[in-house]
Amino acid sequence: KYSITSKADYKISKKLDTADTFFEKGQLDEAQKHYESILAKYPDSPRAMYGKAETLNKLAELRQSNPVLEESIETMSRVLQLPDTPDELFIAAGRKLADRQQFRGWGGKAVGTWKQIIQRFPDRLEFQNQLGVSYLMIGQNEKARNAFKTVLEKSPSDGFAQVHLGFIIKTGDNNPQAAIPLLRAGIESGATGTIDGRFFFHLGDALQRTNQSDEAYRIYSLGAEKGLFLSTYQRSLYNSEGLTGRPWWKPEQTGYAHYLKLLEDNWQTIREEGLSQLDPKTGAFIPEEENLREKGDWKQFTLYQRGRKNENNCAKVPKTCALLDRIPDATSCKRGQIKFSVMHPGVHVWPHCGPTNCRIRAHLGLVVPPGPKIRVTNETREWLEGKFIIFDDSFEHEVWHDGKDLRLVLIIDFWHPELTEQQRRNLSPI
Ligand code: LMR
Ligand code: MN
């Protein structure tokens, strides 16, 4: 403990060790008392302040208490302000503080903490990288970009900065060409924090979008080998373990056949309501916004998302939503949506994977001209009016519409049938 003990703390190190021992044994109240009594006499003791903050943090966890967490954060921030905090303790406290601030939802304060650390250690590039990450977490992409660029100016082969800058250029600037060398070099560095599904995902995607799909699949299978993807073709990043994964599903395999039949039996009613919303003046279809299209006009009209009903939109298509309300396995699906999807001729949707393996996606054909088709892994199908096609959209899929008239479908995400009630309740929404 030499490196975290200041000269003054050295003189009271027995007391500090005793308090630490209580903390380590989980006797938090006892630890707390000891730290407090040290601080009463030595208010500038860095180790006692740090110990007190750590104890409060543990208590906050146990009691799931925000006020206690906030007190812990306040106490930890004092460790950085004390006159005599040793380097190593300063860094440990700074890391903890930024982490807890982020956890509390105070991303802006976490940024401030990293700045404070950088002020004391301007040459440690790892901290500049962490500053970049904390900017990313609050959506300040330009500031994040500058942080990673600063690192790369001083150390051009810093893998951590490379993958993050590549990620910003790919997802923020939508510039796959420029992102590829950075993502590739960063991943190949193997540096801490670079072997991450998101970077493999976007490197592969950037390669696919620039006509290098052989190389993309090399990256994807490497990602699968490293356990970052469920498989080369199933690349969702928010997964539940042990679920059956297959690209195309038959109605009987879902356990939802009766619901699918209910909707197929009423497909013309659903079609009428969907068509009624297509008028660009009065309708409320919204262009696809996830940057999945290479080209063309593709819009959606959402009825449920993240397990919640859009009351406004449902009021416009009441019969459809009344039918859907009888299908809790879909309306409660917090990891999916229910939406009309209209696709005009000329669309190409890039190959892509949905975010999660926790849902099964069913499309009910409503208006289906010749032309549009969808590939899921290696099998391409077409829609039929009044019929469902069912697939797992965590597998790679790609859509083309080379026909002459619009295509309209109702997209319904169901919970993966193997998820238990409890899992469905506890999974975070997407
Ligand atoms: C998709 O889910 O990516 C597409 O299949 C949606 C659509 O409208 O065909
Ligand atoms: Mn999709």
Side-chain angles (χ1 to χ4, degrees):
K1 289 188 166 170
Y2 186 74
S3 54
I4 59 164
T5 306
S6 66
K7 270 220 175 81
D9 270 355
Y10 191 75
K11 292 183 191 137
I12 53 169
S13 57
K14 273 232 169 64
K15 286 192 196 349
L16 289 163
D17 289 346
T18 305
D20 287 355
T21 305
F22 282 118
F23 174 77
E24 280 150 21
K25 285 202 226 148
Q27 302 187 28
L28 300 178
D29 292 332
E30 207 55 34
Q32 188 72 328
K33 260 193 240 156
H34 278 75
Y35 290 126
E36 291 287 11
S37 88
I38 299 169
L39 285 167
K41 223 171 149 188
Y42 311 95
D44 284 349
S45 161
R47 270 184 58 187
M49 193 66 82
Y50 181 86
K52 179 183 169 186
E54 278 281 78
T55 308
L56 285 166
N57 180 50
K58 259 273 148 31
L59 284 169
E61 249 173 63
L62 289 172
R63 299 183 193 157
Q64 304 207 0
S65 158
N66 271 339
V68 180
L69 174 60
E70 288 166 18
E71 204 189 332
S72 156
I73 288 173
E74 162 64 25
T75 308
M76 197 59 95
S77 74
R78 290 219 223 139
V79 179
L80 306 200
Q81 286 148 18
L82 294 174
D84 198 25
T85 305
D87 284 356
E88 202 165 303
L89 191 68
F90 186 96
I91 291 166
R95 282 185 198 282
K96 273 268 158 55
L97 178 59
D99 176 74
R100 295 293 83 192
Q101 288 166 323
Q102 192 67 53
F103 177 79
R104 180 65 189 83
W106 296 344
K109 294 199 180 196
V111 164
T113 298
W114 285 115
K115 284 187 179 165
Q116 221 180 320
I117 298 172
I118 289 168
Q119 217 167 41
R120 176 149 165 182
F121 304 99
D123 298 328
R124 301 264 302 254
L125 296 179
E126 52 192 304
F127 302 145
Q128 196 69 36
N129 274 332
Q130 289 305 323
L131 176 65
V133 171
S134 64
Y135 274 131
L136 273 184
M137 302 241 229
I138 55 170
Q140 298 247 29
N141 279 18
E142 288 318 302
K143 294 200 166 144
R145 186 200 307 268
N146 284 335
F148 297 124
K149 274 186 163 172
T150 303
V151 173
L152 290 171
E153 274 158 23
K154 295 187 187 156
S155 170
S157 60
D158 185 296
F160 190 95
Q162 284 172 325
V163 285
H164 284 84
L165 183 59
F167 181 84
I168 293 169
I169 291 172
K170 164 68 171 60
T171 61
D173 307 353
N174 190 22
N175 186 346
Q177 197 69 61
I180 289 170
L182 285 163
L183 287 168
R184 194 199 296 277
I187 283 171
E188 279 172 4
S189 78
T192 309
T194 60
I195 307 306
D196 180 309
R198 291 169 303 165
F199 304 131
F200 282 68
F201 185 105
H202 283 288
L203 174 55
D205 190 54
L207 290 162
Q208 285 179 305
R209 291 183 184 207
T210 53
N211 240 317
Q212 306 173 69
S213 62
D214 288 353
E215 186 54 16
Y217 288 120
R218 216 182 56 79
I219 297 296
Y220 291 146
S221 54
L222 191 62
E225 247 170 62
K226 293 185 184 293
L228 305 173
F229 302 132
L230 291 165
S231 72
T232 303
Y233 284 97
Q234 192 181 16
R235 303 189 297 272
S236 47
L237 296 175
Y238 298 86
N239 299 314
S240 188
E241 255 176 57
L243 299 178
T244 300
R246 66 167 82 82
W248 287 102
W249 286 61
K250 296 185 175 61
E252 316 82 74
Q253 291 171 324
T254 65
Y256 302 135
H258 52 301
Y259 292 141
L260 298 169
K261 176 154 188 323
L262 170 72
L263 296 168
E264 283 185 351
D265 287 346
N266 290 279
W267 77 276
Q268 283 168 316
T269 306
I270 298 169
R271 171 166 78 172
E272 283 317 302
E273 288 194 328
L275 283 171
S276 78
Q277 297 307 306
L278 277 181
D279 184 322
K281 290 205 186 76
T282 58
F285 274 80
I286 292 172
E288 177 272 330
E289 283 166 344
E290 292 170 83
N291 183 25
L292 298 175
R293 264 174 303 168
E294 179 191 11
K295 56 188 170 132
D297 180 352
W298 173 27
K299 294 195 182 74
Q300 303 177 339
F301 179 64
T302 300
L303 308 179
Y304 296 78
Q305 56 192 339
R306 301 173 142 217
R308 292 165 75 139
K309 187 173 186 170
N310 182 323
E311 297 286 352
N312 267 339
N313 287 355
C314 272
K316 296 177 176 159
V317 292
K319 292 175 189 160
T320 302
C321 284
L323 288 163
L324 293 169
D325 280 332
R326 292 159 65 178
I327 311 181
D329 294 285
T331 57
S332 76
C333 181
K334 278 185 294 175
R335 292 199 158 186
Q337 304 109 44
I338 304 178
K339 59 197 179 189
F340 287 101
S341 171
V342 65
M343 195 175 273
H344 293 275
V347 168
H348 174 224
V349 181
W350 291 114
H352 65 284
C353 294
T356 176
N357 73 340
C358 294
R359 72 192 188 201
I360 302 295
R361 179 158 278 197
H363 284 193
L364 177 61
L366 299 173
V367 177
V368 182
K373 51 189 193 299
I374 175 166
R375 173 181 69 81
V376 184
T377 61
N378 57 1
E379 189 182 338
T380 301
R381 294 193 188 177
E382 297 179 11
W383 293 267
L384 278 177
E385 290 187 355
K387 293 289 167 211
F388 270 106
I389 58 171
I390 310 158
F391 62 103
D392 177 337
D393 82 322
S394 61
F395 285 88
E396 180 180 299
H397 54 289
E398 180 172 13
V399 185
W400 303 262
H401 188 347
D402 298 325
K404 293 196 165 57
D405 298 298
L406 69 81
R407 182 227 62 176
L408 179 67
V409 300
L410 180 67
I411 298 177
I412 302 169
D413 289 331
F414 289 88
W415 281 119
H416 190 294
E418 291 162 6
L419 287 168
T420 64
E421 276 307 321
Q422 198 192 338
Q423 287 176 306
R424 295 177 190 202
R425 254 200 317 280
N426 292 334
L427 281 164
S428 61
I430 293 179

